[in-house]
Amino acid sequence: MQSKSRIDPPGFRSGKSWTIPFTILLALILFVSTFVGAQAQDGKLPFVSPLFSDNMVLQRNELDPVWGWTTPGAVVTVTFRGRKYEATASPEGKWMVKLPPMKAGGPFEMTIAGPDNSEAHFTNILIGDVWLCSGQSNMQFGVGNLLNPDAVISKANYPNIRLFFVPDHLTLTPSHVCGGTWDVCTPDNLRKDGDWGGFSAVAYFFGRDLYRNLHVPIGLIHSSWGGTPAESWTSEQQLKTQMTDFDSQLAQLDVAMKLHDQSILQAIERNSNYPTVLYNGMIHPLIPIRIKGVIWYQGENNAGRAYQYRTLLPAMISDWRNRWGYDFPFLIVQLAGFIGPPKKPGDDAWAELREAQWLTTQDLPNTWIATAFDIGNPTDIHPKDKRDVGKRLALVAEKHVYGEDVTCYGPVYQSMKVRGDKAIITFTHTDGGLMAKGGVVKGFAISGADHQWAWANAKITSDDTVEVSSPQVPNPVAVRYGWASYLVVTLYNKDGLPAFPFRTDNWPEITRNNK
């Protein structure tokens, strides 16, 4: 991966996705900080999963699994809203009940009773919508890192929004349990529920906007880790069956586990970029809690392998959906701009990563996207405008998940026609017409058949068309918009939503052979 494709917040463990020679693995033990995480697994599993606690949110209108562990064969009784539900623990000791679909409401109480006077009692439970919020550092970015954090945090009193933070936890095999507990959204909890400036700013703004517009309780489960690639968030089984790119790393892990080589295993376990380790520690323990959907902000660490991401991201999404057992909505943040702008237009790995994100939404059903390209920062991979990211995600959810009559997409490329030395680009999702912020359309490039790109002059010619040209390209054959790691782009619809980056050509990608 190109070195410019990742800059991590200070103190975060990260690295490229690569096969580590055994000698380097041994050396890593001396240099990588010891992983500290909430790990409660296998030796003594809890009577009730930590996903269920005071202040939790259960998913409305769906069967809600509640589970834990006890003596094999023992009967566990869950009492909720005046009804009792029983389960018998499996030979492995796991018990599970499924609460019937219920309308939004609360607060309620729950009592769980088992053998040997085992009992748990939870209060202040709400029924609403639960969203899983995952990815790397731009999802991890806490509210305390915003430009004016106190102005946001001081107003964060939302008794019907609940927060669950999953601590960093990577493991070589799937874990049963993660750390964390449900908290009411208050200024103090928003500040503390996270490991980099508090609770995820993107998740908070997303949940806040949903709550304000839908008026139902919202539960936000935040599980992210800065500087990590998508393969770390994908199960070993999925990678082995759907892709071959990670076979050598997975084989290396298998051999080390069979040989019980602790020096190698410990080094891998401390590498948050190794395939599957974050799925094992931070996603698998959440399954099968009922969720409304997922918001996902990740890709910076895969930018150098953007073409591979066309396969990897859909594989990860399908993996999660298959393991949960249903095709929940999956909302993707298209990467914000970073590094640049370039002096000359041309090929770019980050642009190809954004294209891979877009193509995923075209190939997988119930998968949507909100772009953050226009609100990036050329010198900071962690732009501080997370309010607009959360707002755009919420608009997408309101439109496609909740069926609200809102505009959620900016202009989307539809077609190109060449007229002399000009290319006419037609857009959909122009809702009210096209507009240029600042009065001038910026961000277009144009090329002839020689693949030599030039910055283009562009002007809006109707509610849904833009005319693009350059004196350097008398015979245009291709147009690109926003095709760079970072670029000033100004094309929006009149609802204030930005045009998505695009290209009209299908010329070879610079990341096509990167693994």
Side-chain angles (χ1 to χ4, degrees), residues 139-303:
M139 181 63 79
Q140 187 178 26
F141 182 105
V143 292
N145 298 312
L146 298 168
L147 276 176
N148 189 2
D150 290 342
V152 173
I153 296 171
S154 64
K155 298 176 182 177
N157 283 299
Y158 290 97
N160 289 333
I161 297 177
R162 305 296 171 81
L163 314 173
F164 189 101
F165 168 66
V166 179
D168 290 352
H169 184 197
L170 59 121
T171 59
L172 303 183
T173 58
S175 298
H176 295 298
V177 179
C178 63
T181 189
W182 286 97
D183 286 324
V184 177
C185 183
T186 65
D188 286 344
N189 287 334
L190 199 65
R191 279 191 178 94
K192 78 176 181 65
D193 283 351
D195 55 8
W196 186 33
F199 198 76
S200 164
V202 168
Y204 169 69
F205 286 126
F206 169 75
R208 188 193 68 176
D209 280 10
L210 283 186
Y211 175 71
R212 286 177 172 178
N213 295 328
L214 300 174
H215 309 292
V216 297
I218 298 294
L220 301 170
I221 300 174
H222 171 212
S223 180
S224 68
W225 190 316
T228 56
E231 61 266 26
S232 295
W233 296 95
T234 308
S235 75
E236 179 179 4
Q237 181 182 13
Q238 183 77 342
L239 291 177
K240 283 182 174 179
T241 57
Q242 299 299 316
M243 304 184 71
T244 61
D245 297 357
F246 307 100
D247 284 357
S248 61
Q249 291 165 288
L250 296 175
Q252 185 180 56
L253 175 58
D254 288 345
V255 169
M257 293 188 72
K258 288 177 182 177
L259 296 177
H260 303 289
D261 190 326
Q262 292 304 309
S263 62
I264 295 171
L265 294 177
Q266 289 172 15
I268 295 175
E269 192 173 27
R270 292 174 181 137
N271 178 8
S272 60
N273 283 237
Y274 213 85
T276 81
V277 294
L278 298 183
Y279 165 81
N280 290 339
M282 299 178 69
I283 298 299
H284 187 268
L286 308 178
I287 302 169
I289 193 169
R290 191 74 191 197
I291 57 175
K292 186 69 174 180
V294 172
I295 59 172
W296 174 254
Y297 196 159
Q298 189 277 337
E300 298 92 339
N301 246 49
N302 290 94

Side-chain angles (χ1 to χ4, degrees), residues 106-129:
F108 304 111
E109 297 187 8
M110 177 185 293
T111 298
I112 304 175
D116 303 322
N117 297 317
S118 300
E119 184 170 293
H121 184 73
F122 304 131
T123 63
N124 200 24
I125 299 167
L126 298 179
I127 299 171
D129 287 339

Side-chain angles (χ1 to χ4, degrees), residues 324-355:
W324 254 276
Y326 60 104
D327 288 346
F328 48 71
F330 198 99
L331 280 53
I332 299 165
V333 179
Q334 191 177 50
L335 293 187
F338 172 60
I339 306 176
K343 293 181 179 179
K344 295 181 179 181
D347 296 320
D348 186 88
W350 278 56
E352 292 181 12
L353 193 287
R354 295 187 191 99
E355 182 178 54

Side-chain angles (χ1 to χ4, degrees), residues 47-58 64-69 95-97 99 110 112 120-122 125 164 180-182 285-290:
F47 177 49
V48 182
S49 167
L51 289 167
F52 307 100
S53 70
D54 294 339
N55 309 314
M56 65 180 158
V57 180
L58 297 172
D64 277 295
V66 179
W67 69 90
W69 294 265
W95 63 265
M96 180 183 292
V97 302
L99 304 179
M110 177 185 293
I112 304 175
H121 184 73
F122 304 131
I125 299 167
F164 189 101
T181 189
W182 286 97
L286 308 178
I287 302 169
I289 193 169
R290 191 74 191 197

Side-chain angles (χ1 to χ4, degrees), residues 333-338 351 354 370-377 392 443 481-489 498-501:
V333 179
Q334 191 177 50
L335 293 187
F338 172 60
R354 295 187 191 99
T371 189
F373 180 59
D374 61 312
I375 50 179
N377 186 319
R392 292 172 186 178
Y481 175 76
W483 202 262
S485 296
Y486 172 88
L487 199 62
V488 175
V489 288
F500 286 90

